[in-house]
Amino acid sequence: MNRTPTEPAPLGPPRLGLVLGGGGLKGFAHIGALQALAERGLAPRVLAGSSIGALIGAAFVGKLPIETMRARALALRRKELFRINHVGMLLERMQSRSIYLEEPLRALIADIVPDATFHQLGTPLLINTVDLLRGTPLVWGSPGFTHAHVRDAVYASCALPGFFPPGDVGGRICVDGGTVDNLPATIVRDAQPFGAVDRIIAVDVGNADLATAGMGGRAHLLDAADTGPMSQLGFAATFMRAASVMMHALQRGQLARYHGPPLLVVRPRVSHVPWFSFADTPELIGAGYAAMSAALDHAGPFWHATSGLFPRERVSVTVQRNLCTGCGQCVAIAPHALQRDAEGRAIPLHPDVEWTPADGDLARYCPTGALHVVPVGPFDTRSAPVSDAA
């Protein structure tokens, strides 16, 4: 990842792109984030979404008032979204298309998403999916793919494999785009037919803060009632935990390779909330509002840069030597911060280092808990060297 010093930005209002990531019902945090943006008069000229980010993004582009979104989210109940496919699972068994029926999700989408094709929308909307037969990402709303119905694309982007049946979008069989890119910032960066953007804000509610799953914890669970050791969890919870780990790793790599206009990654504190909890909606909306408000209140370097990932902060990295085994995993992930000593064990390169969203929760990757990363303040390019790569 290239780390570029802050430079003066072009004058004039920002041409803003907005990305809403996937994360199950944690995505209700997007409603609060949209409210914080609206209060500051920041309107995206291009919006992209994956999974629930596609659902809320499509509702927003369709001019559904934020207060209506909030009320609809607060009123949503499990039976409106999740109805088990009893017949399919009983009669078709391994040939059953999904655990849940698609009709409730389709009805929810029809309730808040406009009945329109992409080229009929006022604000360009990009929806991330995966073409299941071709095995490739497919972005609906991009050039050549504006003929499809928005509702079909939103359904497919929400169709987590195994949980909901795949969706037919314009003759393509598609599933949840989060399986390859849960925070599709690059599709906004490359959305040149809609006019270049010079700033991108991405709201990550899914996998950046991947909490450790412990005995009786909530972070890895589908429902607050699912408690107990990981080894005793059912298929659905085990699948979701594995999918979260996969998406987390993919996202870290994608952010590490990011280049383009300044990208501000906003991460609401939602890791402790289950993916499909209906009891935490007020907290989720509030977390999205608080995170976006705080990010914008301290976004000076983002508005005055020409490239790079934000926010940036200064952290202290230490290694507890008696616990370090020399496996080298941390050095491979963050060579700008750590190196091996003569005995092969990890040591920090500098007392304090620059940290960006691409670095994420590096300490979690240490299998013995020897690595400690502690924030010590904002990163100031005027008083500290900038690493060439990460």
Side-chain angles (χ1 to χ4, degrees):
M1 177 184 65
N2 293 327
R3 299 171 182 269
T4 312
T6 301
E7 300 174 18
L11 297 176
R15 296 173 296 179
L16 185 65
L18 179 63
V19 182
L20 303 180
L25 297 187
K26 296 182 186 187
F28 286 151
H30 292 317
I31 299 172
L34 288 170
Q35 179 66 46
L37 286 169
E39 288 179 356
R40 289 162 173 76
L42 295 171
R45 64 184 301 166
V46 181
L47 193 149
S50 183
S51 195
I52 193 170
L55 174 65
I56 292 176
F60 179 77
V61 168
K63 308 300 183 184
L64 188 70
I66 293 174
E67 279 306 312
T68 303
M69 289 189 212
R70 179 193 300 271
R72 189 68 182 87
L74 291 170
L76 186 66
R77 296 295 179 263
R78 178 175 294 276
K79 64 181 180 180
E80 295 181 69
L81 184 57
F82 297 119
R83 290 213 298 268
I84 294 178
N85 181 16
H86 290 289
V87 174
M89 295 178 70
L90 178 63
L91 299 181
E92 299 172 351
R93 299 197 178 188
M94 294 298 292
Q95 296 300 314
S96 178
R97 299 176 68 212
S98 63
I99 296 174
Y100 299 110
L101 297 170
E102 70 176 270
E103 288 78 11
L105 177 56
R106 291 273 189 187
L108 173 62
I109 292 169
D111 189 41
I112 64 173
V113 172
D115 184 10
T117 59
F118 283 87
H119 71 264
Q120 293 173 320
L121 298 175
T123 299
L125 174 67
L126 302 169
I127 292 182
N128 193 33
T129 68
V130 171
D131 186 321
L132 195 58
L133 300 182
R134 290 171 173 80
T136 57
L138 181 51
V139 180
W140 296 96
S142 61
F145 296 94
T146 60
H147 61 285
H149 286 274
V150 176
R151 290 177 178 177
D152 290 339
V154 169
Y155 171 81
S157 190
C158 292
L160 186 66
F163 282 71
F164 292 100
D168 184 331
V169 191
R172 305 286 189 101
I173 304 302
C174 298
V175 295
D176 189 348
T179 55
V180 296
D181 191 355
N182 204 43
L183 193 70
T186 54
I187 68 176
V188 172
R189 178 197 66 188
D190 299 333
Q192 299 303 317
F194 308 119
V197 297
D198 53 36
R199 298 286 182 279
I200 301 173
I201 297 177
V203 186
D204 176 16
V205 297
N207 306 289
D209 188 15
L210 188 63
T212 299
M215 298 285 288
R218 295 185 67 212
H220 62 292
L221 306 173
L222 285 177
D223 190 280
D226 293 327
T227 58
M230 279 297 293
S231 62
Q232 296 178 14
L233 291 178
F235 156 76
T238 301
F239 176 86
M240 284 306 306
R241 180 62 179 177
S244 295
V245 173
M246 176 192 71
M247 288 186 236
H248 179 88
L250 285 171
Q251 185 183 114
R252 192 189 63 79
Q254 288 157 348
L255 287 176
R257 295 188 297 272
Y258 177 82
H259 62 88
L263 171 60
L264 177 65
V265 180
V266 179
R267 288 171 168 161
R269 295 184 180 276
V270 297
S271 65
H272 62 289
V273 178
W275 275 61
F276 300 125
S277 170
F278 289 78
D280 298 286
T281 302
E283 179 185 351
L284 290 168
I285 295 173
Y289 181 85
M292 181 62 77
S293 297
L296 294 174
D297 287 345
H298 300 89
F302 166 71
W303 295 121
H304 294 90
T306 57
S307 63
L309 288 173
F310 296 86
R312 299 180 180 186
E313 62 180 339
R314 184 175 296 282
V315 300
S316 171
V317 179
T318 59
V319 178
Q320 194 170 339
R321 188 171 179 80
N322 64 312
L323 295 180
C324 179
T325 64
C327 71
Q329 188 161 280
C330 61
V331 177
I333 292 172
H336 65 289
L338 295 148
Q339 66 180 5
R340 291 177 184 267
D341 64 11
E343 297 179 4
R345 303 193 185 193
I347 57 171
L349 281 169
H350 308 286
D352 297 340
V353 296
E354 177 193 7
W355 217 244
T356 78
D359 297 308
D361 53 346
L362 173 64
R364 189 182 62 83
Y365 283 88
C366 178
T368 63
L371 187 63
H372 304 278
V373 179
V374 179
V376 294
F379 182 80
D380 186 352
T381 56
R382 295 170 299 181
S383 60
V386 179
S387 305
D388 292 329

PDB file of all heavy atoms in Angstrom, residues 268-296:
ATOM      1  N   PRO A 268     -18.459   1.542  12.190  1.00  0.00           N
ATOM      2  CA  PRO A 268     -19.286   1.583  13.406  1.00  0.00           C
ATOM      3  C   PRO A 268     -18.929   0.427  14.332  1.00  0.00           C
ATOM      4  O   PRO A 268     -18.527  -0.649  13.892  1.00  0.00           O
ATOM      5  CB  PRO A 268     -20.716   1.431  12.865  1.00  0.00           C
ATOM      6  CG  PRO A 268     -20.636   1.888  11.435  1.00  0.00           C
ATOM      7  CD  PRO A 268     -19.277   1.477  10.960  1.00  0.00           C
ATOM      8  N   ARG A 269     -19.091   0.648  15.625  1.00  0.00           N
ATOM      9  CA  ARG A 269     -18.780  -0.385  16.614  1.00  0.00           C
ATOM     10  C   ARG A 269     -19.954  -1.356  16.708  1.00  0.00           C
ATOM     11  O   ARG A 269     -20.863  -1.195  17.527  1.00  0.00           O
ATOM     12  CB  ARG A 269     -18.495   0.271  17.961  1.00  0.00           C
ATOM     13  CG  ARG A 269     -17.251   1.145  17.943  1.00  0.00           C
ATOM     14  CD  ARG A 269     -16.939   1.706  19.327  1.00  0.00           C
ATOM     15  NE  ARG A 269     -15.750   2.537  19.303  1.00  0.00           N
ATOM     16  CZ  ARG A 269     -14.504   2.100  19.395  1.00  0.00           C
ATOM     17  NH1 ARG A 269     -14.291   0.791  19.522  1.00  0.00           N
ATOM     18  NH2 ARG A 269     -13.476   2.918  19.371  1.00  0.00           N
ATOM     19  N   VAL A 270     -19.913  -2.375  15.855  1.00  0.00           N
ATOM     20  CA  VAL A 270     -21.025  -3.332  15.787  1.00  0.00           C
ATOM     21  C   VAL A 270     -20.549  -4.780  15.836  1.00  0.00           C
ATOM     22  O   VAL A 270     -21.342  -5.696  15.633  1.00  0.00           O
ATOM     23  CB  VAL A 270     -21.863  -3.108  14.502  1.00  0.00           C
ATOM     24  CG1 VAL A 270     -22.515  -1.737  14.514  1.00  0.00           C
ATOM     25  CG2 VAL A 270     -21.000  -3.275  13.243  1.00  0.00           C
ATOM     26  N   SER A 271     -19.272  -5.014  16.106  1.00  0.00           N
ATOM     27  CA  SER A 271     -18.748  -6.373  16.044  1.00  0.00           C
ATOM     28  C   SER A 271     -19.374  -7.286  17.087  1.00  0.00           C
ATOM     29  O   SER A 271     -19.422  -8.501  16.924  1.00  0.00           O
ATOM     30  CB  SER A 271     -17.227  -6.374  16.204  1.00  0.00           C
ATOM     31  OG  SER A 271     -16.855  -5.913  17.486  1.00  0.00           O
ATOM     32  N   HIS A 272     -19.859  -6.723  18.187  1.00  0.00           N
ATOM     33  CA  HIS A 272     -20.431  -7.534  19.254  1.00  0.00           C
ATOM     34  C   HIS A 272     -21.875  -7.949  18.968  1.00  0.00           C
ATOM     35  O   HIS A 272     -22.451  -8.757  19.692  1.00  0.00           O
ATOM     36  CB  HIS A 272     -20.398  -6.745  20.565  1.00  0.00           C
ATOM     37  CG  HIS A 272     -21.222  -5.486  20.523  1.00  0.00           C
ATOM     38  ND1 HIS A 272     -20.841  -4.388  19.782  1.00  0.00           N
ATOM     39  CD2 HIS A 272     -22.407  -5.163  21.104  1.00  0.00           C
ATOM     40  CE1 HIS A 272     -21.750  -3.431  19.914  1.00  0.00           C
ATOM     41  NE2 HIS A 272     -22.712  -3.883  20.697  1.00  0.00           N
ATOM     42  N   VAL A 273     -22.457  -7.388  17.910  1.00  0.00           N
ATOM     43  CA  VAL A 273     -23.858  -7.669  17.596  1.00  0.00           C
ATOM     44  C   VAL A 273     -23.927  -8.824  16.604  1.00  0.00           C
ATOM     45  O   VAL A 273     -23.203  -8.835  15.603  1.00  0.00           O
ATOM     46  CB  VAL A 273     -24.544  -6.419  16.997  1.00  0.00           C
ATOM     47  CG1 VAL A 273     -25.994  -6.723  16.618  1.00  0.00           C
ATOM     48  CG2 VAL A 273     -24.481  -5.262  17.988  1.00  0.00           C
ATOM     49  N   PRO A 274     -24.788  -9.800  16.821  1.00  0.00           N
ATOM     50  CA  PRO A 274     -24.934 -10.910  15.871  1.00  0.00           C
ATOM     51  C   PRO A 274     -25.377 -10.416  14.495  1.00  0.00           C
ATOM     52  O   PRO A 274     -26.038  -9.390  14.368  1.00  0.00           O
ATOM     53  CB  PRO A 274     -26.014 -11.786  16.507  1.00  0.00           C
ATOM     54  CG  PRO A 274     -25.982 -11.448  17.957  1.00  0.00           C
ATOM     55  CD  PRO A 274     -25.623  -9.987  18.024  1.00  0.00           C
ATOM     56  N   TRP A 275     -25.035 -11.176  13.468  1.00  0.00           N
ATOM     57  CA  TRP A 275     -25.375 -10.795  12.097  1.00  0.00           C
ATOM     58  C   TRP A 275     -26.878 -10.640  11.916  1.00  0.00           C
ATOM     59  O   TRP A 275     -27.328  -9.781  11.170  1.00  0.00           O
ATOM     60  CB  TRP A 275     -24.848 -11.848  11.112  1.00  0.00           C
ATOM     61  CG  TRP A 275     -23.428 -11.646  10.710  1.00  0.00           C
ATOM     62  CD1 TRP A 275     -22.337 -11.646  11.527  1.00  0.00           C
ATOM     63  CD2 TRP A 275     -22.931 -11.421   9.394  1.00  0.00           C
ATOM     64  NE1 TRP A 275     -21.196 -11.442  10.802  1.00  0.00           N
ATOM     65  CE2 TRP A 275     -21.527 -11.311   9.485  1.00  0.00           C
ATOM     66  CE3 TRP A 275     -23.522 -11.329   8.146  1.00  0.00           C
ATOM     67  CZ2 TRP A 275     -20.718 -11.085   8.384  1.00  0.00           C
ATOM     68  CZ3 TRP A 275     -22.719 -11.113   7.033  1.00  0.00           C
ATOM     69  CH2 TRP A 275     -21.336 -10.987   7.163  1.00  0.00           C
ATOM     70  N   PHE A 276     -27.658 -11.502  12.546  1.00  0.00           N
ATOM     71  CA  PHE A 276     -29.093 -11.497  12.304  1.00  0.00           C
ATOM     72  C   PHE A 276     -29.889 -11.321  13.593  1.00  0.00           C
ATOM     73  O   PHE A 276     -30.853 -12.021  13.843  1.00  0.00           O
ATOM     74  CB  PHE A 276     -29.511 -12.790  11.586  1.00  0.00           C
ATOM     75  CG  PHE A 276     -28.828 -12.972  10.260  1.00  0.00           C
ATOM     76  CD1 PHE A 276     -28.107 -14.123   9.984  1.00  0.00           C
ATOM     77  CD2 PHE A 276     -28.890 -11.983   9.294  1.00  0.00           C
ATOM     78  CE1 PHE A 276     -27.466 -14.281   8.765  1.00  0.00           C
ATOM     79  CE2 PHE A 276     -28.251 -12.132   8.074  1.00  0.00           C
ATOM     80  CZ  PHE A 276     -27.533 -13.282   7.806  1.00  0.00           C
ATOM     81  N   SER A 277     -29.482 -10.367  14.400  1.00  0.00           N
ATOM     82  CA  SER A 277     -30.213 -10.056  15.618  1.00  0.00           C
ATOM     83  C   SER A 277     -31.250  -8.970  15.333  1.00  0.00           C
ATOM     84  O   SER A 277     -30.932  -7.937  14.736  1.00  0.00           O
ATOM     85  CB  SER A 277     -29.259  -9.572  16.706  1.00  0.00           C
ATOM     86  OG  SER A 277     -29.989  -9.052  17.793  1.00  0.00           O
ATOM     87  N   PHE A 278     -32.478  -9.203  15.792  1.00  0.00           N
ATOM     88  CA  PHE A 278     -33.549  -8.223  15.621  1.00  0.00           C
ATOM     89  C   PHE A 278     -33.735  -7.379  16.881  1.00  0.00           C
ATOM     90  O   PHE A 278     -34.616  -6.530  16.929  1.00  0.00           O
ATOM     91  CB  PHE A 278     -34.865  -8.940  15.277  1.00  0.00           C
ATOM     92  CG  PHE A 278     -34.883  -9.518  13.897  1.00  0.00           C
ATOM     93  CD1 PHE A 278     -34.227 -10.715  13.623  1.00  0.00           C
ATOM     94  CD2 PHE A 278     -35.538  -8.876  12.855  1.00  0.00           C
ATOM     95  CE1 PHE A 278     -34.232 -11.259  12.346  1.00  0.00           C
ATOM     96  CE2 PHE A 278     -35.543  -9.412  11.576  1.00  0.00           C
ATOM     97  CZ  PHE A 278     -34.897 -10.602  11.321  1.00  0.00           C
ATOM     98  N   ALA A 279     -32.918  -7.621  17.887  1.00  0.00           N
ATOM     99  CA  ALA A 279     -33.084  -6.934  19.166  1.00  0.00           C
ATOM    100  C   ALA A 279     -32.185  -5.719  19.319  1.00  0.00           C
ATOM    101  O   ALA A 279     -32.307  -4.985  20.303  1.00  0.00           O
ATOM    102  CB  ALA A 279     -32.816  -7.912  20.312  1.00  0.00           C
ATOM    103  N   ASP A 280     -31.282  -5.503  18.370  1.00  0.00           N
ATOM    104  CA  ASP A 280     -30.262  -4.464  18.548  1.00  0.00           C
ATOM    105  C   ASP A 280     -30.386  -3.314  17.549  1.00  0.00           C
ATOM    106  O   ASP A 280     -29.452  -2.538  17.387  1.00  0.00           O
ATOM    107  CB  ASP A 280     -28.876  -5.094  18.417  1.00  0.00           C
ATOM    108  CG  ASP A 280     -28.618  -6.140  19.482  1.00  0.00           C
ATOM    109  OD1 ASP A 280     -28.403  -5.754  20.641  1.00  0.00           O
ATOM    110  OD2 ASP A 280     -28.660  -7.343  19.160  1.00  0.00           O
ATOM    111  N   THR A 281     -31.538  -3.203  16.885  1.00  0.00           N
ATOM    112  CA  THR A 281     -31.675  -2.204  15.827  1.00  0.00           C
ATOM    113  C   THR A 281     -31.423  -0.772  16.306  1.00  0.00           C
ATOM    114  O   THR A 281     -30.678  -0.020  15.658  1.00  0.00           O
ATOM    115  CB  THR A 281     -33.056  -2.317  15.159  1.00  0.00           C
ATOM    116  OG1 THR A 281     -33.206  -3.645  14.632  1.00  0.00           O
ATOM    117  CG2 THR A 281     -33.197  -1.312  14.030  1.00  0.00           C
ATOM    118  N   PRO A 282     -31.997  -0.319  17.413  1.00  0.00           N
ATOM    119  CA  PRO A 282     -31.716   1.061  17.852  1.00  0.00           C
ATOM    120  C   PRO A 282     -30.226   1.290  18.095  1.00  0.00           C
ATOM    121  O   PRO A 282     -29.688   2.347  17.724  1.00  0.00           O
ATOM    122  CB  PRO A 282     -32.523   1.184  19.150  1.00  0.00           C
ATOM    123  CG  PRO A 282     -33.602   0.163  19.040  1.00  0.00           C
ATOM    124  CD  PRO A 282     -32.981  -0.983  18.304  1.00  0.00           C
ATOM    125  N   GLU A 283     -29.563   0.309  18.709  1.00  0.00           N
ATOM    126  CA  GLU A 283     -28.128   0.449  18.965  1.00  0.00           C
ATOM    127  C   GLU A 283     -27.352   0.525  17.657  1.00  0.00           C
ATOM    128  O   GLU A 283     -26.402   1.323  17.527  1.00  0.00           O
ATOM    129  CB  GLU A 283     -27.630  -0.739  19.793  1.00  0.00           C
ATOM    130  CG  GLU A 283     -26.129  -0.678  20.069  1.00  0.00           C
ATOM    131  CD  GLU A 283     -25.609  -1.910  20.788  1.00  0.00           C
ATOM    132  OE1 GLU A 283     -26.422  -2.747  21.222  1.00  0.00           O
ATOM    133  OE2 GLU A 283     -24.371  -2.038  20.916  1.00  0.00           O
ATOM    134  N   LEU A 284     -27.720  -0.288  16.673  1.00  0.00           N
ATOM    135  CA  LEU A 284     -27.010  -0.300  15.396  1.00  0.00           C
ATOM    136  C   LEU A 284     -27.151   1.036  14.671  1.00  0.00           C
ATOM    137  O   LEU A 284     -26.169   1.584  14.155  1.00  0.00           O
ATOM    138  CB  LEU A 284     -27.546  -1.433  14.521  1.00  0.00           C
ATOM    139  CG  LEU A 284     -27.206  -2.852  14.986  1.00  0.00           C
ATOM    140  CD1 LEU A 284     -28.027  -3.880  14.229  1.00  0.00           C
ATOM    141  CD2 LEU A 284     -25.715  -3.131  14.805  1.00  0.00           C
ATOM    142  N   ILE A 285     -28.371   1.560  14.615  1.00  0.00           N
ATOM    143  CA  ILE A 285     -28.581   2.852  13.955  1.00  0.00           C
ATOM    144  C   ILE A 285     -27.776   3.942  14.661  1.00  0.00           C
ATOM    145  O   ILE A 285     -27.126   4.779  14.014  1.00  0.00           O
ATOM    146  CB  ILE A 285     -30.078   3.195  13.920  1.00  0.00           C
ATOM    147  CG1 ILE A 285     -30.840   2.180  13.049  1.00  0.00           C
ATOM    148  CG2 ILE A 285     -30.290   4.612  13.377  1.00  0.00           C
ATOM    149  CD1 ILE A 285     -32.351   2.343  13.091  1.00  0.00           C
ATOM    150  N   GLY A 286     -27.806   3.912  15.981  1.00  0.00           N
ATOM    151  CA  GLY A 286     -27.032   4.893  16.743  1.00  0.00           C
ATOM    152  C   GLY A 286     -25.540   4.753  16.520  1.00  0.00           C
ATOM    153  O   GLY A 286     -24.819   5.756  16.448  1.00  0.00           O
ATOM    154  N   ALA A 287     -25.052   3.518  16.412  1.00  0.00           N
ATOM    155  CA  ALA A 287     -23.625   3.301  16.182  1.00  0.00           C
ATOM    156  C   ALA A 287     -23.193   3.840  14.830  1.00  0.00           C
ATOM    157  O   ALA A 287     -22.096   4.403  14.695  1.00  0.00           O
ATOM    158  CB  ALA A 287     -23.307   1.814  16.279  1.00  0.00           C
ATOM    159  N   GLY A 288     -24.044   3.676  13.820  1.00  0.00           N
ATOM    160  CA  GLY A 288     -23.723   4.214  12.500  1.00  0.00           C
ATOM    161  C   GLY A 288     -23.657   5.724  12.503  1.00  0.00           C
ATOM    162  O   GLY A 288     -22.761   6.334  11.897  1.00  0.00           O
ATOM    163  N   TYR A 289     -24.607   6.341  13.196  1.00  0.00           N
ATOM    164  CA  TYR A 289     -24.622   7.804  13.292  1.00  0.00           C
ATOM    165  C   TYR A 289     -23.388   8.304  14.031  1.00  0.00           C
ATOM    166  O   TYR A 289     -22.722   9.260  13.596  1.00  0.00           O
ATOM    167  CB  TYR A 289     -25.890   8.266  13.997  1.00  0.00           C
ATOM    168  CG  TYR A 289     -26.010   9.763  14.121  1.00  0.00           C
ATOM    169  CD1 TYR A 289     -26.543  10.520  13.084  1.00  0.00           C
ATOM    170  CD2 TYR A 289     -25.590  10.421  15.275  1.00  0.00           C
ATOM    171  CE1 TYR A 289     -26.648  11.907  13.195  1.00  0.00           C
ATOM    172  CE2 TYR A 289     -25.694  11.792  15.397  1.00  0.00           C
ATOM    173  CZ  TYR A 289     -26.225  12.539  14.354  1.00  0.00           C
ATOM    174  OH  TYR A 289     -26.314  13.902  14.460  1.00  0.00           O
ATOM    175  N   ALA A 290     -23.067   7.674  15.156  1.00  0.00           N
ATOM    176  CA  ALA A 290     -21.928   8.110  15.961  1.00  0.00           C
ATOM    177  C   ALA A 290     -20.617   7.945  15.202  1.00  0.00           C
ATOM    178  O   ALA A 290     -19.751   8.835  15.232  1.00  0.00           O
ATOM    179  CB  ALA A 290     -21.884   7.321  17.266  1.00  0.00           C
ATOM    180  N   ALA A 291     -20.456   6.829  14.508  1.00  0.00           N
ATOM    181  CA  ALA A 291     -19.206   6.578  13.793  1.00  0.00           C
ATOM    182  C   ALA A 291     -19.019   7.549  12.630  1.00  0.00           C
ATOM    183  O   ALA A 291     -17.926   8.083  12.426  1.00  0.00           O
ATOM    184  CB  ALA A 291     -19.171   5.139  13.288  1.00  0.00           C
ATOM    185  N   MET A 292     -20.084   7.788  11.860  1.00  0.00           N
ATOM    186  CA  MET A 292     -19.969   8.716  10.734  1.00  0.00           C
ATOM    187  C   MET A 292     -19.747  10.135  11.242  1.00  0.00           C
ATOM    188  O   MET A 292     -18.919  10.886  10.689  1.00  0.00           O
ATOM    189  CB  MET A 292     -21.217   8.650   9.860  1.00  0.00           C
ATOM    190  CG  MET A 292     -21.166   9.577   8.642  1.00  0.00           C
ATOM    191  SD  MET A 292     -19.820   9.183   7.473  1.00  0.00           S
ATOM    192  CE  MET A 292     -20.533   7.754   6.650  1.00  0.00           C
ATOM    193  N   SER A 293     -20.439  10.526  12.296  1.00  0.00           N
ATOM    194  CA  SER A 293     -20.262  11.875  12.849  1.00  0.00           C
ATOM    195  C   SER A 293     -18.827  12.077  13.316  1.00  0.00           C
ATOM    196  O   SER A 293     -18.197  13.105  13.019  1.00  0.00           O
ATOM    197  CB  SER A 293     -21.236  12.102  14.007  1.00  0.00           C
ATOM    198  OG  SER A 293     -22.571  12.033  13.576  1.00  0.00           O
ATOM    199  N   ALA A 294     -18.303  11.106  14.050  1.00  0.00           N
ATOM    200  CA  ALA A 294     -16.933  11.228  14.548  1.00  0.00           C
ATOM    201  C   ALA A 294     -15.931  11.252  13.402  1.00  0.00           C
ATOM    202  O   ALA A 294     -14.953  12.030  13.431  1.00  0.00           O
ATOM    203  CB  ALA A 294     -16.625  10.068  15.491  1.00  0.00           C
ATOM    204  N   ALA A 295     -16.161  10.414  12.391  1.00  0.00           N
ATOM    205  CA  ALA A 295     -15.240  10.381  11.251  1.00  0.00           C
ATOM    206  C   ALA A 295     -15.222  11.711  10.519  1.00  0.00           C
ATOM    207  O   ALA A 295     -14.153  12.218  10.138  1.00  0.00           O
ATOM    208  CB  ALA A 295     -15.642   9.256  10.303  1.00  0.00           C
ATOM    209  N   LEU A 296     -16.387  12.313  10.317  1.00  0.00           N
ATOM    210  CA  LEU A 296     -16.460  13.588   9.606  1.00  0.00           C
ATOM    211  C   LEU A 296     -15.910  14.733  10.458  1.00  0.00           C
ATOM    212  O   LEU A 296     -15.315  15.679   9.927  1.00  0.00           O
ATOM    213  CB  LEU A 296     -17.901  13.875   9.200  1.00  0.00           C
ATOM    214  CG  LEU A 296     -18.501  12.915   8.175  1.00  0.00           C
ATOM    215  CD1 LEU A 296     -19.978  13.215   7.954  1.00  0.00           C
ATOM    216  CD2 LEU A 296     -17.743  12.990   6.845  1.00  0.00           C
TER     217      LEU A 296
END
